[in-house]
Amino acid sequence: MTLVLAADPTLANFGKDPLWITIIKAVMLFLFLMLGILFGVWYERKLISRMQHRYGPNRAGKFGLLQSVADGLKMGLKEDIFPRTVDKVLYLLAPVIMVVPAFLAFSIVPFAPMVNLFGVQTPLQLVDLPVAVLFMLAMGAVSVYGVVLAGWSSRSPYALLGGLRSAAQVVSYEIAMGLSFVAVFIFAGTLSTSEIVKAQADTWYAVLLIPSFLIYVVCMFGEAARIPFDLPEGEGELVGGFQTEYSSSLKFALIMMGEYLHTFTASGIAVTLFLGGWRAPLPMSWTWAHTGWMPVLWFFIKFVLTFSFIVWVRASLPRVRYDQLMSLGWKVLIPVNLAWILLVAAVRNIVVNEDNRMIGIALGVVIVVGALAIWMRFDTVNQRRKEAKKAEADAEFEQLSNEPAAGGFPVPPLDLPHYHGAQHKEIPSGTN
C-alpha cells in the first residue's frame, strides 16, 4: 500500500462538497467543540490543581472525568431565576449572542488538508473565505455585544460596569490583535486560513514574525477574557461583573461555554496563523507525517499545548488593574505593532522587488532610525515626568511628616505612661 501525501487545499476546493458532507463536517466540528468544553474544564482544573499541589476533581468518575458532566447537568436542572427589574428579552438573548459567534469563528480553522471522508476528497475545514481572518475578527467583536447586553439588561450597577469594561477593553486589544495579523497577510499574500497554512511550509510565522506572535499572545487573553485580562468579570471589585445577575442555571452555563469557546478560538487561530496549522514540526516534515489523517494529530497537539499555556498563565499571574490594561494596549502594543508593520513592509519590498531594493533599504533605515528617535524622545519625556512626580511626592511626604495635623503620622511622646499600655495614676507621696 503506497502512502499518499495530503494535498494543500486552496480556495478553489471549497464550495464543491455535497450537502451531506458539509453537514457531517459541521456535526464533527460541533462535537469536537462540545466535547472539548467538557474535557477542557476538567483538564484546566486538574492542571491548575497540580500546579497548586492539590488533587482537583477526583470523585465523579475515573480521575474525576465526569465532574464537568455533573456540573452541566446541575446547571441545566437548576431553577431559572429572573430578577424583577431585568429586560427579559435581552437578558435571555445575551448568552446566545456570546456563544453563537464563537462557534462560527471556529468554522474557518483548518484541521487538516485534503482527506478522504466517506469516499469524498474534501478539506477538513468547514469553510474558507478570501477574508477568513477578518470573519474571525468580526465574530469576536460581535460576541462583545453579548457581554454588553448582559450587563445592561441586568439593571445592576456591578453588571453594567462589567459590560462597560468589556466594551472599552475590546477597543484596546482588538486593534492591536488585528494589527498583529497584518504582517502575516503581507508575507502570506492572502487572508485565507488554508493558504496561510500552506505559506508556512518552510518556516512558521511564530519564528519569522516573532513580534507579531508575541503581541497576539498578549491580545488573545483579552479576546478570551481570561486572567490576567478578565476585567469584565472582576469578582474582586464587581462581584461577578456582567454575569452577576445570572444564577447558576442554563444561562450561566451558556456564558461559561462562550468563554471556553473563545479560548478555543484564540488557540486555534494561534496555531493556524503562527504555528504552522496542521503541519508537522519542521524537523519531522517527512512523507508519513503529512499522510492521511496524521495532520489532525499535529493540529491537536499544538492546540492542546497552546491551551495549556493559557491555563498556566491563569495559574501564575494575577489580574491587572484596568488602567494598566488600557495603557498596555494604547501606549505599548499599538505603537510597537505599527512600527513593526512598517519594518515588515519595507523588508518584504526589498525581497520581492529587486529593482527597488536600494529604495526599500533606505526606507527601512529611515523607519528604524525614526522609530528609535521617537522611542528615545518619549522615553526621555516619561523619565522626566517620573522624576518630577517622585520629587513632588517626596516633598508632599516631608511636609505631611512635619505637620501631624495635616494628615501625617505623629509619634507620641515616649514618656507618657499610657503609651506603654499602663494607665496614669498619681503615686501618693511617701510611697516607695
Side-chain angles (χ1 to χ4, degrees), residues 57-386:
N58 61 349
R59 297 294 180 185
K62 188 69 172 178
F63 306 114
L65 283 170
L66 297 179
Q67 184 63 56
S68 300
V69 179
D71 291 342
L73 292 174
K74 178 193 72 174
M75 292 184 191
L77 297 176
K78 285 192 71 172
E79 180 184 3
D80 205 0
I81 299 174
F82 281 86
R84 229 182 289 177
T85 58
V86 300
D87 186 323
K88 288 189 176 182
V89 175
L90 297 179
Y91 183 77
L92 285 172
L93 191 60
V96 179
I97 296 177
M98 296 175 60
V99 171
V100 173
F103 274 109
L104 296 176
F106 215 88
S107 63
I108 64 163
V109 175
F111 289 83
M114 302 294 291
V115 296
N116 190 329
L117 186 62
F118 299 106
V120 178
Q121 287 292 324
T122 179
L124 199 60
Q125 178 180 350
L126 185 58
V127 66
D128 196 7
L129 304 168
V131 289
V133 181
L134 297 184
F135 174 78
M136 183 277 299
L137 288 172
M139 291 299 100
V142 168
S143 64
V144 177
Y145 283 96
V147 179
V148 174
L149 290 177
W152 184 83
S153 63
S154 295
R155 305 294 171 85
S156 165
Y158 298 112
L160 180 60
L161 287 174
L164 293 177
R165 278 189 177 188
S166 179
Q169 181 173 320
V170 70
V171 176
S172 61
Y173 77 78
E174 192 88 17
I175 295 175
M177 186 171 69
L179 290 175
S180 68
F181 297 155
V182 173
V184 175
F185 302 154
I186 292 174
F187 265 79
T190 179
L191 277 68
S192 164
T193 51
S194 60
E195 294 184 357
I196 289 174
V197 172
K198 180 180 178 180
Q200 298 180 72
D202 297 327
T203 307
W204 293 355
Y205 288 149
V207 178
L208 190 62
L209 304 172
I210 189 169
S212 296
F213 176 62
L214 295 178
I215 291 171
Y216 174 76
V217 167
V218 174
C219 293
M220 74 178 181
F221 289 98
E223 169 71 16
R226 302 273 298 193
I227 287 178
F229 300 145
D230 62 334
L231 297 169
E233 299 175 12
E235 66 273 4
E237 63 275 12
L238 295 182
V239 183
F242 70 94
Q243 59 191 13
T244 300
E245 300 301 328
Y246 285 87
S247 60
S248 298
S249 60
L250 191 58
K251 299 188 298 296
F252 184 79
L254 287 175
I255 291 175
M256 293 296 101
M257 185 187 301
E259 178 180 326
Y260 262 86
L261 286 175
H262 282 293
T263 305
F264 288 171
T265 301
S267 301
I269 293 299
V271 172
T272 301
L273 298 188
F274 296 102
L275 300 177
W278 45 262
R279 295 187 175 278
L282 296 179
M284 302 176 62
S285 297
W286 304 308
T287 300
W288 65 268
H290 290 161
T291 302
W293 289 73
M294 278 298 295
V296 180
L297 175 63
W298 305 124
F299 176 86
F300 185 73
I301 291 174
K302 297 176 188 178
F303 181 81
V304 171
L305 291 176
T306 307
F307 180 74
S308 301
F309 171 74
I310 294 175
V311 175
W312 172 55
V313 170
R314 176 185 177 182
S316 305
L317 298 181
R319 180 185 297 117
V320 301
R321 291 199 321 264
Y322 192 69
D323 62 306
Q324 291 174 334
L325 169 64
M326 303 300 288
S327 178
L328 176 66
W330 287 103
K331 296 181 180 180
V332 178
L333 296 182
I334 293 177
V336 170
N337 228 330
L338 291 172
W340 170 245
I341 290 170
L342 290 174
L343 183 60
V344 168
V347 171
R348 188 64 175 169
N349 183 59
I350 293 171
V351 173
V352 175
N353 299 323
E354 296 183 358
D355 298 335
N356 299 327
R357 181 161 294 179
M358 295 305 299
I359 298 176
I361 293 175
L363 180 61
V365 171
V366 170
I367 291 173
V368 171
V369 172
L372 288 175
I374 293 173
W375 178 77
M376 292 177 63
R377 169 64 177 169
F378 277 100
D379 187 63
T380 304
V381 172
N382 289 334
Q383 191 65 27
R384 290 176 181 174
R385 288 178 179 174
K386 289 180 181 178

Side-chain angles (χ1 to χ4, degrees), residues 39-51:
F39 288 104
V41 173
W42 171 84
Y43 177 73
E44 180 172 3
R45 290 178 176 179
K46 275 291 187 181
L47 187 57
I48 291 179
S49 64
R50 291 305 180 186
M51 291 178 178

